[in-house]
Amino acid sequence: MRINDIFKLVSAYILERDLDRRLDVKEIHRYQDKKFRKIFKIAMKTRFYRDMYRDMIDFSRNLTLDDLGVLPLIGRENIMKAHLKDLIPEGFRGNIFKVSTSGSTGKPLILLNDEFTALRCLLAFADELRAHGIDWRKDKISIIGDFSFLGPEHNYMKIFSSFFPIPKKNFQLLDVGMSIKSIMSELEKFRPDFLGGYPPIIKGLSYLKKLGMGEKLQPRVIATSGSYLDNSTKRVIRDAFDANLFDSYSSAEAGAIAHQCEEGNYHIHPELLYIEVLDDHGMRVSDGEEGYIVVTKLYGNVSPLIRYKGLGDRVKLIGVGCECGRKSIIISDIRGRRVDPIITKDHKLISPFAITRILCEFADKGLKLEGFHILQKHIDEIEIFLDAEDPDIEMIRELEKSLSRILGGVKINIKFVKHLKKNIPLVESKVDYEALVC
Ligand SMILES: [Zn+2]
C-alpha cells in the first residue's frame, strides 16, 4: 500500500472516530466540505468526470458542497456505458480490484476499487460494531458474505488479512453459496459473539433456530447488511434470537453508508459520505419527507462517486438530533430491493445471493444485462426474467447449467423481457417456508 494511504488511514482512525459526537452540525459540514474539495480534484483527474462536466462548469472557481446542485446526477447507466479505466485518476499507481454490486439491485454493476477504500470502509464497520459493544480484536466474529471473486466481502477481507493477519480462532468467514443448514452447523461449532450477514440469510437461520437447530448459537449482537431489512424479517430474527439486532446500510459502490445507533436510528457516516435526498423532480426534500438517496463519496482513490443516484433506494430524511448524541443526518424507512431465500424440493434454503452472483459473473463475462427478476412460484419451479441485450444463446445455456448446479432439481425457466416491472422484489419466493417446515 502507498505510504500516503497508510498515513490517511492512521489519521482517519485518530481524527474521524466519533466525529459526529465531537463536532456540531456546522463543523461536520465544514469537515465534509474540505474532504469534498479533495475528492473533486481526484474526480477531475478521471476521463469520466471530465467528459461528464465538459462545458458545464466554470473550473476557475473552487466548487464547494453548497454548489453540488450545479453538477449533474450520475446514474448506473452512465458508469455502465463508460470504460472502467475512465474512473481511474491519471497517475494513480496503487493496487486495484474489481467489485460487483452483488445483485441486490437487480442491475449488476462492476466497478474498480482500491486498497485504501476497502480498509477505510472496514474501519467504519469496526466503529459500528464498537457502538454495539463488539470489539473485533477480542470478540468472536462470524461473517456470512459473498466470498466469490467479485464479491465485496471477498476482496475486503483479502485486503484486510494481508495487512492484519486474521486470528482464525476469532474470525469465521462463511460463504453465501453454502446451504443455510451447513452455515448453521458451522456457526454452532464456532459459537460467535457477533453474527453478521445479509437479511435473508439471517432470516433463514432464524427459521432453523425455531426448528430447534443451532441451540448453542447465541450471539450477543447480530447485524444485517447488504439488502433491504423488511419488518417481517426483523420479526422472524427477533423471535428466534435473544440478541441485540442492528442494521448496517451499505453498498458495493458507496461502502458503509449508515448504521443503526444504540437508539435504533440510522445515522449517515458523515466522514465518508455526503447525502442528498431528492424528490422525483430532483429537488431536495424537507425533513420528514421521502425521496431517493444520492451519495457523494468523500474518500477513496479510484471510482469517485459525486452525486451518484444509482443506489436506487428510497429513504425518509429525518434531519439531525438523537438521544445517542450523534449530530449526523438521520434517515429512516430505507426501502431497497427485497430478496428472499429460495427453497429447494428437499426443503433446503438457498441464499438468493448464491443465485444473483452467478448472474453478475455472467455480466462480467460479457452478458449485457440491464436487469433481472427471480421468481419462485412453486417449490419445484423458478422463473428468471432477464432484460438482456442480444443475449448469446450459448452463454444463456451456460448460465442455465450454472444455476441448475446450485438449485438442484428445481425447474428453471429463463424468460427474456424488454423492461422489468418497477418496485418488485428482486428475488421473490412465494413458497412459505415457515408453514412448510415449522
Ligand atoms: Zn442515534
Side-chain angles (χ1 to χ4, degrees), residues 231-251:
N231 284 333
S232 116
T233 303
K234 230 184 274 178
R235 175 186 58 79
V236 173
I237 298 171
R238 288 212 163 110
D239 277 358
F241 289 96
D242 181 20
N244 167 7
L245 170 68
F246 79 95
D247 188 42
S248 170
Y249 175 34
S250 64
S251 79

Side-chain angles (χ1 to χ4, degrees), residues 311-350:
L311 297 178
D313 297 330
R314 294 189 75 82
V315 303
K316 204 180 255 182
L317 184 66
I318 300 297
V320 182
C322 179
E323 288 288 312
C324 74
R326 292 180 178 84
K327 279 86 118 196
S328 42
I329 301 278
I330 300 170
I331 53 171
S332 75
D333 299 71
I334 302 166
R335 285 201 286 124
R337 306 296 292 272
R338 198 182 94 205
V339 279
D340 294 335
I342 296 292
I343 296 124
T344 62
K345 282 203 281 192
D346 50 357
H347 299 180
K348 271 187 197 158
L349 282 165
I350 304 281

Side-chain angles (χ1 to χ4, degrees), residues 68-111:
L68 263 191
V70 304
L71 300 177
L73 296 168
I74 307 282
R76 274 168 178 265
E77 60 285 359
N78 298 107
I79 294 179
M80 280 164 92
K81 273 183 205 154
H83 198 286
L84 286 182
K85 283 185 182 160
D86 292 349
L87 279 147
I88 306 293
E90 280 157 11
F92 177 75
R93 294 280 176 267
N95 291 331
I96 48 176
F97 59 90
K98 266 187 188 175
V99 63
S100 152
T101 53
S102 111
S104 62
T105 55
K107 288 183 182 176
L109 176 71
I110 291 154
L111 273 178

Side-chain angles (χ1 to χ4, degrees), residues 271-426:
E271 71 285 16
L272 304 181
L273 294 165
Y274 180 81
I275 69 141
E276 297 165 85
V277 182
L278 305 182
D279 65 17
D280 294 335
H281 307 290
M283 303 300 288
R284 291 191 182 192
V285 304
S286 310
D287 289 0
E289 286 180 22
E290 191 194 276
Y292 61 93
I293 189 163
V294 172
V295 298
T296 295
K297 206 167 143 202
L298 301 174
Y299 68 108
N301 293 314
V302 302
S303 304
L305 294 178
I306 294 178
R307 299 202 90 203
Y308 178 66
K309 62 174 182 175
L311 297 178
D313 297 330
R314 294 189 75 82
V315 303
K316 204 180 255 182
L317 184 66
I318 300 297
V320 182
C322 179
E323 288 288 312
C324 74
R326 292 180 178 84
K327 279 86 118 196
S328 42
I329 301 278
I330 300 170
I331 53 171
S332 75
D333 299 71
I334 302 166
R335 285 201 286 124
R337 306 296 292 272
R338 198 182 94 205
V339 279
D340 294 335
I342 296 292
I343 296 124
T344 62
K345 282 203 281 192
D346 50 357
H347 299 180
K348 271 187 197 158
L349 282 165
I350 304 281
S351 156
F353 297 104
I355 304 165
T356 57
R357 78 177 179 195
I358 290 180
L359 292 161
C360 293
E361 280 164 17
F362 274 81
D364 187 45
K365 283 181 197 167
L367 181 65
K368 287 184 183 157
L369 208 49
E370 287 292 318
F372 59 85
H373 169 57
I374 297 164
L375 173 66
Q376 180 172 33
K377 273 189 178 167
H378 313 285
I379 195 152
D380 53 0
E381 188 180 356
I382 283 183
E383 290 182 330
I384 298 185
F385 298 91
L386 301 180
D387 180 359
E389 200 184 308
D390 298 328
D392 179 294
I393 298 303
E394 202 47 49
M395 199 176 247
I396 296 298
R397 276 199 200 114
E398 283 299 314
L399 172 67
E400 202 172 335
K401 265 192 223 164
S402 301
L403 291 169
S404 300
R405 275 198 283 275
I406 52 163
L407 292 170
V410 179
K411 190 179 165 205
I412 299 166
N413 283 326
I414 295 184
K415 295 179 176 174
F416 295 99
V417 286
K418 275 277 175 232
H419 296 287
L420 291 160
K421 282 183 205 160
K422 283 188 175 170
N423 302 321
I424 47 170
L426 179 65

Side-chain angles (χ1 to χ4, degrees), residues 260-267 321-326 330:
Q260 277 185 299
C261 71
E262 307 85 314
E263 302 295 324
N265 286 323
Y266 282 91
H267 289 269
C322 179
E323 288 288 312
C324 74
R326 292 180 178 84
I330 300 170

Side-chain angles (χ1 to χ4, degrees), residues 20-235:
D20 54 357
R21 284 185 202 263
R22 287 184 284 109
L23 303 187
D24 65 26
V25 176
K26 278 188 181 164
E27 287 167 334
I28 290 174
H29 189 78
R30 274 203 293 275
Y31 190 83
Q32 289 179 308
D33 196 41
K34 215 167 103 187
K35 291 192 82 166
F36 170 70
R37 289 170 203 230
K38 286 183 186 163
I39 281 297
F40 191 75
K41 278 186 189 156
I42 291 177
M44 290 317 295
K45 287 185 188 167
T46 69
R47 178 191 280 254
F48 178 84
Y49 281 98
R50 276 203 309 270
D51 286 353
M52 183 64 71
Y53 297 157
R54 197 184 299 273
D55 305 327
M56 291 181 76
I57 302 168
D58 171 12
F59 292 105
S60 59
R61 69 185 184 101
N62 285 329
L63 282 186
T64 70
L65 273 180
D66 298 326
D67 302 315
L68 263 191
V70 304
L71 300 177
L73 296 168
I74 307 282
R76 274 168 178 265
E77 60 285 359
N78 298 107
I79 294 179
M80 280 164 92
K81 273 183 205 154
H83 198 286
L84 286 182
K85 283 185 182 160
D86 292 349
L87 279 147
I88 306 293
E90 280 157 11
F92 177 75
R93 294 280 176 267
N95 291 331
I96 48 176
F97 59 90
K98 266 187 188 175
V99 63
S100 152
T101 53
S102 111
S104 62
T105 55
K107 288 183 182 176
L109 176 71
I110 291 154
L111 273 178
L112 294 173
N113 228 329
D114 68 294
E115 288 179 332
F116 167 74
T117 301
L119 289 172
R120 180 63 194 92
C121 194
L122 287 171
L123 204 57
F125 286 130
D127 281 344
E128 292 180 6
L129 294 187
R130 191 169 50 87
H132 292 274
I134 293 289
D135 182 340
W136 67 271
R137 286 159 303 189
K138 290 180 188 155
D139 291 311
K140 289 178 85 174
I141 309 261
S142 287
I143 297 167
I144 309 156
D146 182 353
F147 294 102
S148 64
F149 79 104
L150 281 173
E153 289 86 3
H154 164 75
N155 285 303
Y156 280 27
M157 292 316 289
K158 199 170 127 193
I159 292 164
F160 177 68
S161 58
S162 65
F163 290 96
F164 307 96
I166 299 176
K168 283 214 171 113
K169 68 176 179 46
N170 268 17
F171 266 86
Q172 183 187 44
L173 306 177
L174 301 166
D175 185 69
V176 289
M178 292 165 70
S179 76
I180 307 265
K181 228 172 176 174
S182 319
I183 291 177
M184 177 58 106
S185 133
E186 291 301 316
L187 287 170
E188 198 173 15
K189 277 188 240 161
F190 188 69
R191 297 165 77 170
D193 301 297
F194 169 81
L195 170 62
Y198 298 108
I201 316 273
I202 309 286
K203 188 183 191 180
L205 290 168
S206 306
Y207 286 144
L208 297 185
K209 182 99 174 152
K210 281 183 84 179
L211 286 173
M213 280 185 69
E215 210 184 319
K216 289 178 192 155
L217 174 63
Q218 290 169 346
R220 272 187 359 248
V221 180
I222 297 177
T224 50
S225 187
S227 67
Y228 176 42
L229 177 66
D230 59 90
N231 284 333
S232 116
T233 303
K234 230 184 274 178
R235 175 186 58 79

